[in-house]
Amino acid sequence: MKTKTSGSKATAAKTNGTPSKRATQSNSKSQGGEKDGMLEEFFKEEIKDIYWAEKHLVKTLPKMAKAATSPELQEAFTNHLEETKVHVERLEQVFTLLEEKAQAKKCDAMDGITKEGDGIIEETETGTSTRDVGLILAGQKVEHYEISTYGGLAQLARNLGRDDVAELLEQTLEEEKAADQLLTTVAEDSVNYQAAEEGEEEEA
């Protein structure tokens, strides 16, 4: 004789065997939220990193300007120092928008690049265009690092739905691109040519 399974037991069996659609959606949302949270934390850590880098540059750029021979190069470094101070303030605005305390985390990449610049100053002669060539190279390495960093952070900010933060980062990005282009112009207009002449004089 067959025994009828009660409706409540059948429903329980079905529920226990296969997760409900609602439970699956809830779990999916939870996992998505965790991923967004991880990305936001990563983003904040990278903001701390570039904040340290910009504050470090405020101390480094005066040394580069002082070591330069070309008046155009000195002016380029001095002007970018003032821009960099604005970049620091802009990042502090970003921290405020993120409701985070402005905090710097050592940027190993920028630390290494600026140490390389110090080495160039030590290894080249004062008052030479050869030193200026080296300083331009060091300066452009700084700019290229910042361009890639700000470009990536601005995109991340938009992915996180923070267009307000992205707009601030993109302002700085455009200024870094302009600073890089200015260094290229100084090199092409005078410094590279003068450094080549120094080499020819030494050979003579």
Side-chain angles (χ1 to χ4, degrees), residues 141-160:
K141 286 182 179 181
V142 167
E143 295 307 327
H144 293 173
Y145 175 76
E146 290 187 306
I147 288 168
S148 63
T149 300
Y150 279 109
L153 288 175
Q155 186 58 53
L156 275 178
R158 293 204 180 277
N159 290 345
L160 290 166

Side-chain angles (χ1 to χ4, degrees), residues 77-117:
F77 285 141
T78 300
N79 289 344
H80 194 54
L81 170 61
E82 296 309 309
E83 282 186 335
T84 302
K85 291 176 182 178
V86 174
H87 298 170
V88 170
E89 293 173 359
R90 202 172 281 152
L91 285 170
E92 288 168 352
Q93 291 178 49
V94 168
F95 279 113
T96 299
L97 290 172
L98 295 173
E99 298 181 349
E100 291 282 327
K101 180 182 177 182
Q103 185 178 355
K105 183 183 75 173
K106 185 176 180 180
C107 175
D108 292 331
M110 185 61 74
D111 186 45
I113 293 170
T114 53
K115 280 180 180 176
E116 186 176 335

Side-chain angles (χ1 to χ4, degrees), residues 14-176:
K14 186 176 180 181
T15 303
N16 291 336
T18 307
S20 68
K21 185 177 180 181
R22 183 177 296 175
T24 303
Q25 289 176 339
S26 176
N27 188 46
S28 176
K29 286 180 181 178
S30 175
Q31 289 177 349
E34 287 176 5
K35 289 179 181 178
D36 288 345
M38 288 173 61
L39 183 59
E40 187 173 350
E41 284 306 309
F42 172 79
F43 176 74
K44 290 176 181 178
E45 288 301 305
E46 291 302 305
I47 292 292
K48 293 175 185 178
D49 193 79
I50 194 65
Y51 184 52
W52 186 95
E54 293 286 25
K55 292 183 76 173
H56 186 61
L57 280 176
V58 169
K59 299 175 184 177
T60 302
L61 283 166
K63 292 191 292 184
M64 297 177 76
K66 185 177 180 180
T69 302
S70 161
E72 293 81 8
L73 184 56
Q74 289 175 346
E75 185 178 1
F77 285 141
T78 300
N79 289 344
H80 194 54
L81 170 61
E82 296 309 309
E83 282 186 335
T84 302
K85 291 176 182 178
V86 174
H87 298 170
V88 170
E89 293 173 359
R90 202 172 281 152
L91 285 170
E92 288 168 352
Q93 291 178 49
V94 168
F95 279 113
T96 299
L97 290 172
L98 295 173
E99 298 181 349
E100 291 282 327
K101 180 182 177 182
Q103 185 178 355
K105 183 183 75 173
K106 185 176 180 180
C107 175
D108 292 331
M110 185 61 74
D111 186 45
I113 293 170
T114 53
K115 280 180 180 176
E116 186 176 335
D118 290 340
I120 287 170
I121 294 172
E122 292 173 5
E123 294 165 11
T124 53
E125 292 184 22
T126 303
T128 63
S129 293
T130 298
R131 173 178 282 185
D132 284 352
V133 168
L135 288 170
I136 289 173
L137 181 61
Q140 290 195 297
K141 286 182 179 181
V142 167
E143 295 307 327
H144 293 173
Y145 175 76
E146 290 187 306
I147 288 168
S148 63
T149 300
Y150 279 109
L153 288 175
Q155 186 58 53
L156 275 178
R158 293 204 180 277
N159 290 345
L160 290 166
R162 297 306 304 258
D163 290 348
D164 52 348
V165 171
E167 287 171 8
L168 289 173
L169 298 173
E170 285 164 353
Q171 287 180 46
T172 300
L173 174 61
E174 292 308 310
E175 290 166 3
E176 301 294 8

